[in-house]
Amino acid sequence: MNQERAIWVVGDYRNYFQNRVTLQLLAKAGELAAKMDGTVCAVVMGHGVEEWVGEYQAHGAQRIYVMDHPLLSEYLPGLFARALESLARQRRPEIILIGATSFGKELAARAASRLGTGLTADCVDLYLDQEGRFVQVAPAYGGNLLAEIVFPRHRPQMATVRPGAFAEMPHDASARAEIIRLDPPAGLSGDGVRLVSCRRLGYQGEDLENAKVVICGGRGLGSRKKFKNLHELARLLGGEVGATRPVVHADWAEEERLVGQAGKHIKPRLLFSLGVSGAIQHTAGIADPEFTIAVNKNPLAVMMQKADVAIKADAHQVALALIRELKARGSS
Amino acid sequence: MRIVVFVKQVPAVSELPWDAKTGQLRREAAEGMMDPAAKRALEAALRLKDAHGAQVIVISMGPPSAEETLREAVAMGADRGFLLCDPRLAGADTLATSYTLARAVGALSPDFDLILLGCHSADSETGQVGPHLAEELGLPAAAYVEKMALKGRKLTVERVSDGWLETLEMDLPALLTVTARAFRPRPVPMTGLEQAFGQGEVFILSAADLRADPEHVGWAGSAGRIIKIYAPAAQKKGELIQGTPKACVRELMARFGDRLGGLLAKDLSGEEQA
Ligand SMILES: Cc1cc2nc3c(=O)[nH]c(=O)nc-3n(C[C@H](O)[C@H](O)[C@H](O)COP(=O)(O)OP(=O)(O)OC[C@H]3O[C@@H](n4cnc5c(N)ncnc54)[C@H](O)[C@@H]3O)c2cc1C
């Protein structure tokens, strides 16, 4: 068994329909496994998780470890980390991938400590280099740079990966995985944290996450008042307004509108990006739009370089001109 | 009650010291500053101190300049600050960092009741140090905390994780990381600041003072090795439009109106709509 090179993807299914990162990781793990003669394994921990076992099977898992037990009925990172640790100690995967959700990051950090291994946060890409090393690409130094990281000694190699970094595979109802059911380790208990209550919060920006058109504003818009015009623009274009972190911090827009690593992951067909520099923490939340229009005074801004059409002008003025133009064209 | 708060000095990058009212960067803060989330963690500790009485010690790992951050923490009301400053500690990943911080807790406050950190630091932070440290010290822990209440030895906290509002309970000793949203920090009193810089209870420690295993700290103790570092490449070869805003919009519409109309499923031709 130790000869086998397994890539594990830990199922984070609590927000299955909103957050597909586990499925995206299964697809990527499939690519990596093909190159290293490995096996793609999903790990599903919890209680009453059959539905997710089926989903992961249909999305590329070749083997699924299922720990379905009342002891695991609370979705707590301290608890899951212990279960994952014991499983990893027995089965010795080469690589463990976890989506960089809040839960995933907490779980991954705790499991890595327990396993005494390294963990790279928020990867935007993963690949095997010519020497067969597993390379993790992650933002460094405040996100202005990308670093490629390897673990020379530590195993398993662990990484959390940004939602949206990879595409999931289509659902294949005929796919069959080897399913291995396991009991949790004897006497499993959490870290002493008790879940008193939990409930899903209301509007969390799902409209933004699913919008086909997003108008994203950055600090270059200049003020809260000017930022407000984006709502008018969004209305005219039938889109949603997104924002960068400085905008949210300055209270020009609600927290729910934050786009990026720390906020929403969007996948619009059409993106208007106004007064946005294009820091990686921001762009990591944007999955390949078909068409991007950027407005910035600085033609060298990363966002301008990424755009299909880069408009070198004042962001606010362009927003106003665009609103006028759209109204004139009868798009009211 | 004994509380340990870990703070970090971060570069005052363009985005954070930013005055919402004037829209100006706060240049006076342009060198290094206390990480905003860590400052909230300190505020949370000081509130417990105000309500229940507590000794609050603040620990930072970083370059000599981070001493300022500790002095600021003392000015805000912390009792004592410790700077872990040693070239051997440099280059640490989160694994080596959490090992070092755990040694510091052992050396400086082994009988602590509560450990607080910011959940992500504003520079490069990964959100991993808090959860790692909880495991190093074998503590019940919660990340992303926004509210907390203490009754006897029982701590109740509220946090939001992936769109779920959770209420969690644990007994002390425990570890929490707080977000940059909750616990708005008190202003730093000027007289306090002067005093903290004048005398101030700030001490500097080396790796040897912590009796840390040199194999486990800094670059030597880190699992990852950077093999390459670069600025992310821009991917597209787009079209540049410039001129007055109005002319830009006209040109955009003239050249790309059809494409936009298609994407929007709208007729943007400006022709009379039926
Ligand atoms: C751990 C971590 C997590 C983060 N998570 C996120 C996240 O989730 N989302 C996010 O957005 N950021 C995030 N950030 C912050 C991110 O690194 C950037 O700082 C942020 O995205 C920059 O926002 P911005 O483009 O609005 O501002 P800036 O970087 O200040 O850019 C403003 C742009 O506007 C242009 N400009 C200025 N004036 C005008 C004008 N009159 N007209 C037109 N253009 C103008 C400038 O040329 C510049 O390009 C994170 C950072 C860290 C360290």
Side-chain angles (χ1 to χ4, degrees), chain A residues 67-90:
Chain A
M67 241 187 229
D68 194 330
H69 196 278
L71 279 177
L72 285 162
S73 52
E74 291 180 343
Y75 210 80
L76 290 171
L79 180 66
F80 280 36
R82 283 165 168 75
L84 181 61
E85 177 205 9
S86 80
L87 197 58
R89 284 194 186 283
Q90 276 168 32

Side-chain angles (χ1 to χ4, degrees), chain A residues 218-220 244-246 259-262 275 277 281-282 296 314-315, chain B residues 122-123:
Chain A
R219 196 198 327 242
T244 63
R245 190 161 85 169
V259 170
Q261 161 184 348
S277 61
Q281 285 90 356
H282 175 69
N296 199 307
D314 179 84
Chain B
D123 53 352

Side-chain angles (χ1 to χ4, degrees), chain A residues 168-191:
Chain A
E168 66 188 66
M169 291 196 293
H171 190 279
D172 174 4
S174 69
R176 285 294 162 265
E178 177 191 1
I179 295 181
I180 300 183
R181 294 178 196 279
L182 300 152
D183 283 329
L188 176 73
S189 67
D191 58 355

